[in-house]
């Protein structure tokens, strides 16, 4: 993995628009003060809300098989099967 470019605190202050535009495009930076690394400026990961049908199908092809019997047994073991009346004394 390539090292992130270093920028000084002064560069960040003086070139903030240019640097923030680069971060928005995916670039990360290490910020320095007095020659010492003090932090990282990294883009946020964007969560995808939807997956296309084709992506889902591709992911599903490599998924492990599921035993329906084992799945039901796990559900039975985890669920409380008793009916409880919350108003009973």
């Amino acid at each position: 993995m390539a090292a992130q470019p270093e920028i000084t605190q002064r560069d960040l202050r003086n070139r903030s628009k240019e640097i923030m535009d680069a971060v928005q495009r995916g670039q990360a930076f290490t910020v320095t003060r007095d020659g010492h690394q003090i932090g990282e400026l990294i883009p946020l990961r964007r969560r995808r809300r939807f997956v296309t049908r084709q992506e889902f199908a591709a992911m599903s092809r490599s998924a492990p098989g599921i035993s329906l019997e084992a799945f039901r047994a796990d559900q039975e073991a985890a669920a409380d099967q008793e009916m409880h009346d919350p108003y009973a004394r």
Side-chain angles (χ1 to χ4, degrees):
M1 182 164 101
Q4 310 177 156
E6 287 189 358
I7 57 172
T8 65
Q9 178 183 1
R10 178 174 286 160
D11 284 338
L12 179 57
R13 182 183 65 233
N14 294 336
R15 299 175 33 224
S16 64
K17 181 185 180 338
E18 174 188 344
I19 292 167
M20 297 308 283
D21 287 346
V23 171
Q24 188 174 14
R25 290 189 305 270
Q27 177 67 56
F29 296 93
T30 299
V31 181
T32 64
R33 181 191 305 155
D34 299 325
H36 301 284
Q37 295 180 343
I38 61 168
E40 292 181 306
L41 188 57
I42 60 172
L44 293 175
R45 292 185 198 151
R46 294 195 174 146
R47 283 188 138 171
R48 290 177 45 188
R49 292 180 180 247
F50 301 101
V51 176
T52 67
R53 182 181 296 215
Q54 292 79 14
E55 289 172 312
F56 181 77
M59 289 185 286
S60 298
R61 280 192 287 277
S62 62
I66 296 174
S67 163
L68 186 55
E69 292 78 22
F71 178 72
R72 285 189 178 149
D74 287 345
Q75 282 183 318
E76 291 290 327
D80 182 4
Q81 299 297 319
E82 296 294 318
M83 295 290 288
H84 296 286
D85 183 353
Y87 303 105
R89 291 183 188 232

